[in-house]
Short mmCIF file of all heavy atoms in Angstrom, two decimals:
data_model
loop_
_atom_site.label_atom_id
_atom_site.label_comp_id
_atom_site.label_asym_id
_atom_site.label_seq_id
_atom_site.Cartn_x
_atom_site.Cartn_y
_atom_site.Cartn_z
N GLU A 1089 105.29 -68.49 -114.16
CA GLU A 1089 105.63 -69.94 -114.12
C GLU A 1089 104.40 -70.70 -114.05
O GLU A 1089 104.33 -71.69 -114.72
CB GLU A 1089 106.20 -69.94 -112.53
CG GLU A 1089 107.26 -71.11 -112.38
CD GLU A 1089 107.85 -70.91 -111.03
OE1 GLU A 1089 108.66 -70.01 -110.79
OE2 GLU A 1089 107.46 -71.86 -110.04
N GLU A 1090 103.41 -70.24 -113.33
CA GLU A 1090 102.00 -70.95 -113.43
C GLU A 1090 101.48 -71.28 -114.73
O GLU A 1090 100.98 -72.25 -115.14
CB GLU A 1090 101.10 -70.21 -112.67
CG GLU A 1090 100.59 -70.74 -111.34
CD GLU A 1090 99.61 -69.75 -110.79
OE1 GLU A 1090 98.72 -69.05 -111.38
OE2 GLU A 1090 99.75 -69.60 -109.50
N LYS A 1091 101.80 -70.22 -115.70
CA LYS A 1091 101.23 -70.44 -117.00
C LYS A 1091 102.35 -70.84 -118.02
O LYS A 1091 102.17 -70.78 -119.28
CB LYS A 1091 100.88 -68.88 -117.47
CG LYS A 1091 99.61 -68.41 -116.73
CD LYS A 1091 99.44 -66.97 -117.08
CE LYS A 1091 98.30 -66.28 -116.25
NZ LYS A 1091 96.96 -66.81 -116.33
N ASN A 1092 103.32 -71.42 -117.32
CA ASN A 1092 104.28 -72.06 -118.19
C ASN A 1092 105.00 -71.12 -119.19
O ASN A 1092 105.25 -71.57 -120.28
CB ASN A 1092 103.67 -73.36 -118.96
CG ASN A 1092 104.74 -74.29 -119.41
OD1 ASN A 1092 105.99 -74.20 -118.85
ND2 ASN A 1092 104.33 -75.19 -120.35
N ILE A 1093 105.17 -69.95 -118.76
CA ILE A 1093 105.90 -68.95 -119.64
C ILE A 1093 107.32 -68.85 -119.00
O ILE A 1093 107.58 -68.50 -117.89
CB ILE A 1093 105.30 -67.50 -119.63
CG1 ILE A 1093 103.81 -67.71 -120.11
CG2 ILE A 1093 105.99 -66.55 -120.28
CD1 ILE A 1093 103.00 -66.51 -119.93
N ALA A 1094 108.27 -69.30 -119.90
CA ALA A 1094 109.68 -69.02 -119.34
C ALA A 1094 110.18 -67.65 -119.35
O ALA A 1094 109.84 -66.90 -120.15
CB ALA A 1094 110.63 -69.81 -120.38
N ILE A 1095 110.92 -67.22 -118.22
CA ILE A 1095 111.41 -66.04 -118.25
C ILE A 1095 112.98 -65.89 -118.22
O ILE A 1095 113.65 -66.81 -117.68
CB ILE A 1095 110.96 -65.29 -116.91
CG1 ILE A 1095 111.63 -63.87 -116.88
CG2 ILE A 1095 111.25 -66.03 -115.64
CD1 ILE A 1095 111.00 -62.94 -115.75
N VAL A 1096 113.42 -65.06 -119.13
CA VAL A 1096 114.95 -64.83 -119.19
C VAL A 1096 115.19 -63.36 -118.79
O VAL A 1096 114.97 -62.36 -119.40
CB VAL A 1096 115.30 -64.97 -120.85
CG1 VAL A 1096 116.78 -64.72 -120.88
CG2 VAL A 1096 114.98 -66.30 -121.31
N PRO A 1097 115.82 -63.38 -117.41
CA PRO A 1097 115.88 -61.88 -116.99
C PRO A 1097 117.30 -61.43 -117.31
O PRO A 1097 118.13 -62.21 -117.94
CB PRO A 1097 115.74 -62.09 -115.36
CG PRO A 1097 116.11 -63.63 -115.23
CD PRO A 1097 115.68 -64.42 -116.53
N ASP A 1098 117.73 -60.14 -116.99
CA ASP A 1098 118.80 -59.49 -117.19
C ASP A 1098 119.43 -59.70 -118.56
O ASP A 1098 120.70 -59.84 -118.83
CB ASP A 1098 119.90 -60.09 -116.11
CG ASP A 1098 119.71 -59.76 -114.74
OD1 ASP A 1098 119.22 -58.56 -114.56
OD2 ASP A 1098 119.69 -60.69 -113.84
N PHE A 1099 118.57 -59.70 -119.61
CA PHE A 1099 119.04 -59.92 -120.92
C PHE A 1099 119.06 -58.53 -121.61
O PHE A 1099 117.99 -57.85 -121.80
CB PHE A 1099 118.02 -60.95 -121.67
CG PHE A 1099 118.68 -61.25 -123.17
CD1 PHE A 1099 119.43 -62.31 -123.21
CD2 PHE A 1099 118.30 -60.48 -124.15
CE1 PHE A 1099 119.92 -62.71 -124.50
CE2 PHE A 1099 118.71 -60.78 -125.38
CZ PHE A 1099 119.62 -61.96 -125.61
N ASN A 1100 120.27 -58.11 -122.17
CA ASN A 1100 120.32 -56.97 -122.93
C ASN A 1100 120.71 -57.22 -124.28
O ASN A 1100 121.82 -57.68 -124.63
CB ASN A 1100 121.33 -55.99 -122.40
CG ASN A 1100 120.72 -55.29 -121.18
OD1 ASN A 1100 120.00 -54.31 -121.03
ND2 ASN A 1100 121.18 -55.94 -119.99
N ALA A 1101 119.83 -56.94 -125.35
CA ALA A 1101 119.99 -57.29 -126.72
C ALA A 1101 121.17 -56.52 -127.34
O ALA A 1101 121.01 -55.21 -127.41
CB ALA A 1101 118.75 -57.32 -127.59
N GLU A 1102 122.19 -57.04 -127.94
CA GLU A 1102 123.23 -56.31 -128.77
C GLU A 1102 122.56 -56.20 -130.21
O GLU A 1102 122.81 -55.12 -130.78
CB GLU A 1102 124.44 -57.20 -128.58
CG GLU A 1102 125.51 -56.29 -129.50
CD GLU A 1102 126.89 -57.22 -129.66
OE1 GLU A 1102 126.89 -58.34 -129.19
OE2 GLU A 1102 127.71 -56.66 -130.24
N ARG A 1103 122.12 -57.29 -130.67
CA ARG A 1103 121.61 -57.19 -132.08
C ARG A 1103 120.74 -58.45 -132.22
O ARG A 1103 120.55 -59.32 -131.48
CB ARG A 1103 122.83 -57.29 -133.13
CG ARG A 1103 123.54 -58.56 -132.98
CD ARG A 1103 124.92 -58.53 -133.77
NE ARG A 1103 125.69 -59.71 -133.58
CZ ARG A 1103 125.64 -60.70 -134.39
NH1 ARG A 1103 124.70 -60.67 -135.30
NH2 ARG A 1103 126.33 -61.71 -134.03
N ILE A 1104 120.04 -58.48 -133.45
CA ILE A 1104 119.15 -59.45 -133.95
C ILE A 1104 119.70 -60.02 -135.20
O ILE A 1104 119.96 -59.21 -136.03
CB ILE A 1104 117.74 -58.90 -134.08
CG1 ILE A 1104 117.24 -58.51 -132.62
CG2 ILE A 1104 116.78 -59.98 -134.72
CD1 ILE A 1104 115.79 -57.90 -132.58
N ASP A 1105 119.83 -61.37 -135.31
CA ASP A 1105 119.99 -62.05 -136.54
C ASP A 1105 118.57 -62.30 -137.14
O ASP A 1105 118.16 -63.48 -136.81
CB ASP A 1105 121.00 -63.18 -136.50
CG ASP A 1105 121.41 -63.70 -137.82
OD1 ASP A 1105 120.51 -63.47 -138.81
OD2 ASP A 1105 122.34 -64.48 -137.92
N ALA A 1106 118.14 -61.64 -137.99
CA ALA A 1106 116.67 -61.73 -138.45
C ALA A 1106 116.55 -63.01 -139.32
O ALA A 1106 115.67 -63.65 -139.35
CB ALA A 1106 116.06 -60.50 -139.10
N ALA A 1107 117.62 -63.11 -140.15
CA ALA A 1107 117.56 -64.32 -141.03
C ALA A 1107 117.56 -65.69 -140.31
O ALA A 1107 116.87 -66.49 -140.58
CB ALA A 1107 118.75 -64.15 -142.05
N ALA A 1108 118.38 -65.71 -139.22
CA ALA A 1108 118.60 -66.91 -138.42
C ALA A 1108 117.42 -66.94 -137.23
O ALA A 1108 117.30 -68.01 -136.60
CB ALA A 1108 119.87 -67.08 -137.83
#
Side-chain angles (χ1 to χ4, degrees):
Chain A
E1089 210 173 290
E1090 249 175 40
K1091 293 175 190 289
N1092 201 16
I1093 299 169
I1095 175 166
V1096 181
D1098 292 316
F1099 187 90
N1100 286 278
E1102 181 189 359
R1103 63 193 175 90
I1104 293 173
D1105 184 339

